[in-house]
Amino acid sequence: MIPVARPVIGDLEEQAVLEVLRSRHLSLGPRVPQFEREFAARVGAPHASAVSSGTAALHLALRAVGVKTGDEVVTSPFSFVASANSILFENARPVFVDIDPVTLNLDVDAAAAAITDRTTALLPVHIFGYPAGTPALERHGLPIVEDACEALGAVHADGVKVGGRGHPAAFGFYANKQLTTGEGGMLTFGSLEHKVIVDSERNQGRAPNMDWLDHDRLGFNYRLTDIACALGLAQLQRLDDMLAARARVAGWYRSALAGFEGLELPCEDFGGDVRGWFVFVVQLPRGADRDDTIRALYERGVQSKPYLPAIHLMSFYRERFGYRDGEFPVCEDVAARSIALPFFPELTEGQVAEVAEALESVLYTALR
Ligand SMILES: Cc1ncc(COP(=O)(O)O)c(C=O)c1O
């Protein structure tokens, strides 16, 4: 079976983790600030805070910019559910707008039109690693929290790396990501004030100068261990190679799938934006049954996933906010036809050819 994702783990990672285990300093130790410094430098941000997940990063970022009960936050319905859920954690309302059919990111004109006097933040998602239109959103003068969980390695047309614009930007380190710590996340920021708040709130509301078990604000346990940070530091050392390998695999897919009638591939980089490759998601030809396609691929030894479902059509969101089919037609069309194919740095050109052959036989022969 060719899996849909697989992390690169070698001697570097094993040694880094072993060293921490042998030091007996497993949490609140030196690897945390070291990982923060090196990650911040990698994306060109002045500050970073390591946290337990991308979701925790989003939650703390929204709190840091002051989102509170009853506020509206404009965001994309075509995302992993955590980006919208993090808004609900603070009893604010996610205001969805439709997406751009090419980049699949939030449509910046629709976002502008959705801003009201209750809007206190904008939450663009750099979906599938393609830079969202954050520079255009900056014109509104509202706080921005970037969901960069899928976008390590992405660069905006103005040369600024995703995560380096100064807004709190949340990264995720789950095992399918460009860089993994098993589970984990990072917030990058331009403002030291934001880092101070986040460092306290990830650690039960403790201020750095407080004695043990002294707390001056509400906080959470969103800490990342030294073991995870050591793994992250090792992964950072090989990040350039892993990103280049992902881009190479994407190129193989483009060639192998060229000419598949009705199949839509991820957009090419344009206008100076650079994708940080995370997944290779294709939209199936209209009329192809996605579930049948996934099953038939599986029978041929290829794992694939429906990716991503539209958030506003999930039962929980429908029930809570009354969303109905047809409200965001571009998102719904893309969400209904998208599947993620196997995609990871060590995927070989031969395996890409196998996936392409399987897909061709399923789409144009077996299911016809
Ligand atoms: C777009 C997006 N947002 C948020 C998250 C949440 O990250 P985590 O799983 O680390 O909490 C993910 C991770 O899958 C994601 O892809």
Side-chain angles (χ1 to χ4, degrees):
M1 183 64 59
I2 304 178
V4 82
R6 203 170 90 107
V8 180
I9 299 291
D11 286 350
L12 206 58
E13 286 76 7
E14 288 180 11
Q15 283 310 316
V17 167
L18 208 54
E19 219 174 276
V20 175
L21 292 177
R22 288 183 176 146
S23 78
R24 306 292 191 270
H25 208 153
L26 308 189
S27 40
L28 292 171
R31 291 292 179 264
V32 181
Q34 189 188 347
F35 185 34
E36 291 172 344
R37 277 193 306 273
E38 293 193 20
F39 191 90
R42 181 65 176 71
V43 303
H47 311 288
S49 297
V51 291
S52 54
S53 69
T55 309
L58 286 165
H59 184 198
L60 293 184
L62 287 167
R63 288 176 60 86
V65 303
V67 169
K68 54 187 189 325
T69 301
D71 289 358
E72 293 180 358
V73 178
V74 177
T75 192
S76 172
F78 189 61
S79 175
F80 183 66
V81 70
S83 55
N85 282 353
S86 65
I87 299 166
L88 297 182
F89 294 166
E90 289 303 309
N91 293 313
R93 183 184 174 95
V95 174
F96 296 120
V97 295
D98 212 346
I99 57 168
D100 178 280
V102 175
T103 65
L104 312 184
N105 280 320
L106 159 146
D107 176 327
V108 291
D109 294 329
I115 292 171
T116 71
D117 54 9
R118 290 182 300 281
T119 309
T120 54
L122 309 174
L123 198 164
V125 181
H126 305 282
I127 204 70
F128 305 156
Y130 200 86
T134 316
L137 297 176
E138 285 164 355
R139 286 190 219 119
H140 303 295
L142 285 163
I144 294 177
V145 168
E146 298 181 49
D147 184 338
C149 285
E150 301 191 352
L152 183 55
V155 188
H156 288 284
D158 59 7
V160 178
K161 295 190 178 97
V162 165
R165 301 199 78 79
H167 318 293
F171 291 85
F173 304 141
Y174 180 68
N176 64 347
K177 294 295 193 299
Q178 290 94 332
L179 175 155
T180 186
T181 59
E183 297 280 1
M186 187 74 80
L187 261 177
T188 58
F189 339 75
S191 148
L192 179 59
E193 201 186 320
H194 283 156
K195 177 170 167 61
V196 170
I197 294 171
V198 165
D199 283 355
S200 167
E201 292 196 350
R202 76 175 168 190
N203 190 19
Q204 310 282 16
R206 279 177 66 195
N209 60 351
M210 283 190 154
D211 291 337
W212 188 241
L213 300 187
D214 214 353
H215 308 263
D216 66 354
R217 61 192 307 141
L218 177 69
F220 308 86
N221 181 352
Y222 282 166
R223 296 187 302 263
L224 192 61
T225 65
D226 274 57
I227 305 168
C229 289
L231 186 50
L233 282 161
Q235 291 263 292
L236 263 183
Q237 282 188 47
R238 56 163 99 242
L239 181 61
D240 285 334
D241 288 345
M242 293 194 295
L243 289 171
R246 282 181 187 264
R248 200 159 49 240
V249 173
W252 292 332
Y253 266 125
R254 277 201 198 289
S255 311
L257 302 176
F260 279 38
E261 205 188 321
L263 187 77
E264 289 172 50
L265 306 185
C267 74
E268 304 248 19
D269 292 349
F270 67 96
D273 286 332
V274 179
R275 188 192 295 267
W277 277 101
F278 165 54
V279 279
F280 199 89
V281 172
V282 296
Q283 292 161 53
L284 297 179
R286 286 174 203 289
D289 185 293
R290 181 168 57 180
D291 292 342
D292 287 348
T293 304
I294 289 172
R295 243 188 317 271
L297 284 173
Y298 191 81
E299 282 161 13
R300 286 163 176 74
V302 175
Q303 197 186 28
S304 61
K305 288 254 157 76
Y307 198 79
L308 288 153
I311 299 176
H312 65 287
L313 297 183
M314 291 180 183
S315 54
F316 168 56
Y317 277 83
R318 282 184 193 259
E319 283 158 25
R320 185 149 170 183
F321 297 105
Y323 284 116
R324 281 161 287 119
D325 289 27
E327 290 191 55
F328 306 111
V330 181
C331 167
E332 290 169 31
D333 177 52
V334 171
R337 295 192 293 130
S338 296
I339 64 169
L341 298 176
F343 190 71
F344 47 91
E346 291 172 334
L347 196 67
T348 66
E349 194 169 6
Q351 287 174 312
V352 168
E354 275 178 55
V355 175
E357 262 169 47
L359 192 60
E360 184 173 35
S361 91
V362 168
L363 286 180
Y364 306 109
T365 317
L367 294 183
R368 282 282 148 127

